[in-house]
Amino acid sequence: FDDVTFNFIEQPVADAGPDEITCGLIYTMKAQYTVGSGTWSFLGGPGTANFSNVNSVNSTVTVSTIGVYTLEWFINNVGCQDRDTVVLNFSVSSPPTANAGADDSECDLDHILSAVPSIGTGTWSQVLGTGSSLFSNANDPIATVTVTNYGIYVFRWTEAIGSCNDFDDVTVNFFEVPLSDAGADKSVCGTNHSFNASGSPGN
């Protein structure tokens, strides 16, 4: 008789993650694998790409300039290998940072908003409120907003450039203007007088 030995090794399956359009020059990888050990490598792009940990599925990659980069996730399990590539489009080097301004109050139904623009196109929208609202120019950071009812409203300033976006909210409390009437002028006999004031709303 004679013997022969076979070593059955599990075939790894590499998954480098989904192709994506990303903001900024830093991205956290989303790789997966079944068995073995993995290694990231840079296959091509308009600049350089550096990994925080070439063996980590969630390594952070930092590129030197915007553009489309191809990265490879290679798995080795005792000689059995698999590989997968991911294409990342770093579209904007500095993504927008939205600032809707400070919370405020208003003594009528009109308010001038005060967003601080960064980059990209900004747009106002209503998130919350006791009525509806109308913007003089929804893309103007200092647009005037007119609401239909008094109360608390939340407005959102969203900035977008390409596929990158950011938003910030501002709260505005619209108060009704009180009307005050101290009563009619009078002549009084004696040193006592009863006032007859009126007014609404407020105290």
Side-chain angles (χ1 to χ4, degrees):
F1 68 88
D2 188 26
D3 295 335
V4 62
T5 300
F6 291 95
N7 187 0
F8 291 88
I9 302 170
E10 183 178 352
Q11 172 64 38
V13 178
D15 181 358
D19 297 341
E20 290 194 66
I21 300 174
T22 183
C23 303
L25 299 177
I26 301 175
Y27 179 80
T28 300
M29 308 305 296
K30 302 174 182 176
Q32 300 181 43
Y33 66 101
T34 54
V35 67
S37 58
T39 304
W40 284 107
S41 60
F42 168 51
L43 297 186
T48 59
N50 295 304
F51 297 93
S52 60
N53 183 347
V54 294
N55 302 120
S56 171
V57 291
N58 300 124
S59 174
T60 297
V61 62
T62 303
V63 299
S64 59
T65 185
I66 62 174
V68 178
Y69 290 74
T70 302
L71 310 172
E72 181 183 79
W73 178 238
F74 170 76
I75 300 296
N76 180 39
N77 184 35
V78 198
C80 297
Q81 302 172 351
D82 192 28
R83 64 189 71 224
D84 187 34
T85 58
V86 60
V87 177
L88 299 176
N89 185 351
F90 293 85
S91 60
V92 179
S93 59
S94 298
T97 302
N99 182 352
D103 295 342
D104 206 350
S105 60
E106 188 69 52
C107 290
D108 54 31
L109 295 175
D110 299 316
H111 180 72
I112 299 176
L113 297 162
S114 55
V116 180
S118 59
I119 61 174
T121 301
T123 305
W124 285 108
S125 61
Q126 179 183 328
V127 178
L128 180 70
T130 55
S132 59
S133 58
L134 178 65
F135 300 95
S136 60
N137 181 350
N139 301 120
D140 185 355
I142 55 172
T144 297
V145 60
T146 302
V147 298
T148 56
N149 300 319
Y150 296 103
I152 297 176
Y153 288 74
V154 177
F155 303 108
R156 176 164 295 173
W157 174 247
T158 303
E159 291 183 340
I161 177 170
S163 62
C164 305
N165 61 77
D166 189 35
F167 68 84
D168 187 35
D169 294 339
V170 62
T171 300
V172 181
N173 197 343
F174 292 85
F175 294 103
E176 185 176 354
V177 178
L179 298 176
S180 179
D181 183 358
D185 295 341
K186 288 184 178 181
S187 296
V188 178
C189 295
T191 57
N192 297 318
H193 173 68
S194 295
F195 290 107
N196 188 25
S198 62
S200 178
N203 297 317

